[in-house]
Structures are given as C-alpha cells and as structure tokens.
Amino acid sequence: MKSDLPSATVERLPRYLRCIERLPEAQQTISSGELARLSNLKAAGVRRDLSYLGTFGIRGVGYRVKELNDQIRHALGLTADRPVAVVGIGNLGSALANYTGFGNRGFRIVGLYDADPSKIGTSLGGVEVRHISRLPDDARTTRISVGIIATPAGAAQQVAAMLVDVGVRSILNFAPTVLQVPEDIHLRQVDVATELQILGYYMS
Amino acid sequence: MKSDLPSATVERLPRYLRCIERLPEAQQTISSGELARLSNLKAAGVRRDLSYLGTFGIRGVGYRVKELNDQIRHALGLTADRPVAVVGIGNLGSALANYTGFGNRGFRIVGLYDADPSKIGTSLGGVEVRHISRLPDDARTTRISVGIIATPAGAAQQVAAMLVDVGVRSILNFAPTVLQVPEDIHLRQVDVATELQILGYYMS
DNA sequence: TAGATTGTTAATCGATTAACAATC
DNA sequence: TAGATTGTTAATCGATTAACAATC
C-alpha cells in the first residue's frame, strides 16, 4: 500500500529523474542544493519532496545517486510494465511512435491506430499501424494501460470514449480540445496552443 | 498596466477559451455552472477566475459569451502579434509547423530551422525550412517573440542558448531535457515522458 | 415577484520557504 | 572536531471551496 505523495511532488519527481540521469557516471552523491540548481527549483523544496519517499539522505553528504534514482523510480511505479496505444498517426503520432524514451520508464508501445487507409500496414518503431476499428478486438487480447490521443480535435472525444470502452483507464490527450471522460479515468492534457497562450500572458 | 492574475488562473484561461469556442453559435450566455461542467472544473472556481478579469457577469443570467471571449483574449494578450520560430523540423516540428491553431491566437510562425541539410529548402505550412546557422541573421531583420525547441535532447540546450542570444525571451521546450536559461527568460516545458510518468504514479 | 446566478467573504486546504537542530 | 547537509518545524503564502448577500 503506497502512501500518497502530494501532487506537486509527483509532478516534480520526473524532473529530478531527468537531472540525475545526466549526472557524470563517476558522481556518487548529490546534495539538495546541486539538484535544486540542476532542476531550477529550491533546495528546501527538493529536500521536502525527497523526504516523502523516505529518509535515505546522508547528513553532511547528500543523496546517493543510485539510491535516489531507485527511490524515485519506485515511487513513480516505473518498474511496472505499461502497454501504451497511440491513436492518430500523423506527424505527432509518428514522433511518439519513434520516441525511444519510453522503454526505460516502463512504457511500451503495443499499438498504433489510425483511420486513414493509406497509413494502415506501415510500420513505425517496429509496430504496425492498424485501423482504429481493430482497437476493441486488440484490447481483448492485449492489455492497454495508457491511451495516447494524437488525432485532430474533431476525432478526439470519440476516440477517448472508445478507449474508455475497451478498458483504458489512463489517457494522455494531445488533441487541442477539452475531453469529457468518466471521473475514474486519469486524464492529462498536452496542448501547445495553451502553453503558448500562458507564455503570451507573461510577455505582455 | 495590467494587474497580475494568479498563475493558476492564467493557466486555466486558455481552457475556458477552448470551451466557449465550441459553444453553438446561437448560445448568447453561459453560466459559471455550465462552463465548469464543460471545463471539468468547479463553478466557484470559474467565478473567481473570471472575477479577476472584471465584473462583467450578469446576476441571474450568466456571462455573455461574446464578451467573455473578448475579456479572456484580452487578458491573455492574444491581440498582440507574436512571431514564432520553430527549431528542429522532425516529426514533431513538422506537426507544429502545420498546426493551424496558432493564427487566431496571435501566434504566427515566421521561421523554421533545422541542422539537417536534406531538410533545408523544403516548405511547411507556407514557410521555408532554413539552416539553423541563419537564425542570428534572420532575427536581426525579423523579430522573434517565441522560440519553440523541437530538437533531440542533445541539441536543446545549445539551441536555447542561441535563442536567448538573438533576443528571444520566451521559449517552449519539447525536448526531453531540463534547460538552463537566464531567469528573466520565460520557459515552459512540454514533456511526454513526464506526463506518462505522472499518469503512471496514479495508476499504481 | 420568484428564480437564478454572480461576486465576494471567510474558512479551509495544500504548497512553499526559511531556519535550524540533528547528525554524517 | 569542524564543516556540510539532511529532515523537519513553523511560518507564510497562494489556491480552492462553500456559502450567501446582492441583484438581474
């Protein structure tokens, strides 16, 4: 039974992971101060975040990099195997299909789906693109933990409903639209226009 | 002189915009309750957010859709013209270059850059891909407000430094790496692996 | 008027930060 | 020991929410 981490902490753990992965091989330990500098956060916040994972820092020394890495990966559940399906194999979906950064984080692309007949049968990152109508059948034999929606906005809600229907409980939506899903479904939204608008606000 | 909005409010305004853009033509007004339902937020929060923009709601009726749209767009500064450069024209960069959702939000792609000679000279969304070495010269004649980094992780920090060098003060980074930029530069990060890891935490 | 809905008050909640005793 | 750094306390800060008077 995992104890709950504050959501702000959960959202920062992947960033710590990014930072410690880039440390030189030889570096054995890292202090909260250095990790704060690398991650553009503050040392007190880093220590608080890590303290939720347990007390494994060494006073006067810092955190052992290897142990820190293990603790964060364990807290995030990156040891699990998470089959991912991508729906919508345009430029964005293709970028996702070819992205190699999922593997060492427990995510594995098991299905690529599109509605465009000209794309069916092509292969990306070793996975064949199949017609979206095959998704329900495929889901019956292959568990899908996460659905990534990379379709145009107009198709996204329908795709989301289909994913929920076949038992997917976590959805990452890249389509520029606000989705309605049952409240027990985990949904995250990545939206370029939104990010630009937020940047825009702080520019003026 | 614009009064500061709480950052949590700024991050929600684009979502409200998305929701009201999809309303039927005929709908003249919308209540905080309905907007909350559409945006998956709560009515009290919607009212508080909108109250920062002024008091233009009508008690017993709701908000006039047209005025609401104007107020949000004005608050976000979407009336400004914001020239955008995209660096890294792989699958992701191509998706961004072809994305048509920027125009009506004041963002306009004025430059596409890559280091790969085979891409130079091709055209995407009516803009020619130029070699990254041309960026400094181009920036001298064409103002660039926002730089979008869509390169591999290994090149991202160098590109960020170059953007800062040529006077870009707002950066949207899609490369899976934590960037170091001067503190007066506005930086936002979009990271698929991070989003998946956060989803992953809540799955287990 | 009666019903609906805003704008805001006040309470609560959660996140951040500085500071420092504990301890390597 | 002396210096460094953690883990945590306590204060502060900012965000959320329910509730309701104001008012259309």
Side-chain angles (χ1 to χ4, degrees):
Chain A
M1 194 58 217
K2 161 173 21 182
S3 73
D4 275 359
L5 306 180
S7 67
T9 297
V10 172
E11 307 211 343
R12 278 186 298 260
L13 291 180
R15 172 183 290 240
Y16 298 140
L17 214 44
R18 277 260 137 81
C19 294
I20 63 182
E21 279 167 357
R22 279 161 200 282
L23 255 27
E25 272 293 326
Q27 184 166 351
Q28 303 275 320
T29 63
I30 186 169
S31 68
S32 60
E34 186 179 1
L35 188 48
R37 188 176 51 75
L38 292 175
S39 58
N40 302 322
L41 298 165
K42 300 203 174 169
V46 169
R47 290 199 300 278
R48 169 149 330 265
D49 283 339
L50 299 183
S51 77
Y52 292 121
L53 311 184
T55 61
F56 54 95
I58 307 163
R59 286 164 142 94
V61 176
Y63 302 87
R64 276 190 289 266
V65 173
K66 188 176 169 347
E67 187 173 11
L68 181 53
N69 187 63
D70 289 347
Q71 292 282 358
I72 295 177
R73 296 178 78 91
H74 179 255
L76 286 172
L78 301 191
T79 49
D81 172 56
R82 310 218 187 268
V84 176
V86 180
V87 183
I89 312 300
N91 275 314
L92 175 59
S94 301
L96 293 167
N98 287 317
Y99 180 49
T100 56
F102 295 151
N104 69 336
R105 291 189 166 78
F107 297 95
R108 183 168 53 93
I109 293 184
V110 298
L112 302 175
Y113 298 93
D114 203 292
D116 177 353
S118 75
K119 287 179 186 149
I120 311 305
T122 61
S123 231
L124 287 163
V127 179
E128 193 191 5
V129 179
R130 295 160 70 79
H131 194 269
I132 180 66
S133 61
R134 307 285 286 273
L135 176 62
D137 269 356
D138 290 356
R140 232 162 266 135
T141 54
T142 309
R143 183 175 61 98
I144 300 173
S145 291
V146 184
I148 300 184
I149 301 177
T151 66
Q157 179 61 58
Q158 195 184 343
V159 168
M162 180 182 268
L163 287 168
V164 171
D165 248 19
V166 305
V168 174
R169 291 173 45 83
S170 298
I171 294 176
L172 181 54
N173 178 36
F174 283 87
T177 189
V178 179
L179 295 180
Q180 304 291 335
V181 296
E183 64 177 25
D184 62 328
I185 302 297
H186 300 116
L187 171 66
R188 289 188 69 87
Q189 175 79 30
V190 173
D191 188 330
V192 189
T194 293
E195 297 299 324
L196 283 176
Q197 287 169 69
I198 296 168
L199 275 178
Y201 173 80
Y202 292 108
M203 287 185 225
S204 42
Chain B
M1 193 57 220
K2 161 173 18 181
S3 74
D4 275 0
L5 306 180
S7 67
T9 296
V10 172
E11 306 212 342
R12 279 187 298 261
L13 292 180
R15 173 183 289 239
Y16 297 140
L17 215 45
R18 277 260 137 81
C19 294
I20 62 182
E21 279 167 353
R22 279 161 200 281
L23 255 27
E25 271 293 327
Q27 184 166 351
Q28 303 275 320
T29 64
I30 186 169
S31 68
S32 59
E34 186 179 2
L35 188 48
R37 187 175 53 74
L38 293 174
S39 57
N40 302 321
L41 298 165
K42 299 204 175 169
V46 169
R47 290 200 299 280
R48 167 146 337 260
D49 283 339
L50 299 183
S51 76
Y52 292 120
L53 310 185
T55 62
F56 54 95
I58 307 164
R59 287 165 142 95
V61 176
Y63 302 86
R64 276 191 291 267
V65 173
K66 186 175 171 346
E67 187 172 12
L68 181 55
N69 187 63
D70 289 347
Q71 292 283 358
I72 296 178
R73 295 179 79 92
H74 179 257
L76 286 171
L78 302 190
T79 49
D81 173 54
R82 310 218 187 266
V84 177
V86 180
V87 183
I89 313 299
N91 275 316
L92 175 59
S94 301
L96 293 167
N98 286 317
Y99 179 51
T100 56
F102 294 151
N104 69 335
R105 289 187 168 79
F107 297 94
R108 182 168 54 93
I109 294 185
V110 297
L112 302 175
Y113 298 92
D114 203 291
D116 178 353
S118 76
K119 285 178 185 150
I120 311 304
T122 61
S123 230
L124 287 164
V127 179
E128 193 192 3
V129 179
R130 294 159 71 80
H131 193 270
I132 180 67
S133 61
R134 308 285 286 273
L135 177 62
D137 269 357
D138 290 357
R140 233 163 264 137
T141 54
T142 307
R143 183 174 60 99
I144 300 174
S145 290
V146 184
I148 300 184
I149 300 176
T151 66
Q157 179 62 57
Q158 195 184 344
V159 168
M162 179 183 268
L163 287 168
V164 171
D165 247 19
V166 304
V168 174
R169 292 173 43 85
S170 297
I171 294 176
L172 180 54
N173 179 36
F174 284 87
T177 188
V178 179
L179 295 181
Q180 305 291 336
V181 296
E183 64 177 24
D184 62 327
I185 302 296
H186 300 117
L187 171 66
R188 290 189 67 88
Q189 175 79 28
V190 173
D191 188 330
V192 189
T194 293
E195 296 299 324
L196 284 176
Q197 288 170 67
I198 296 169
L199 276 178
Y201 172 81
Y202 292 108
M203 287 184 224
S204 42

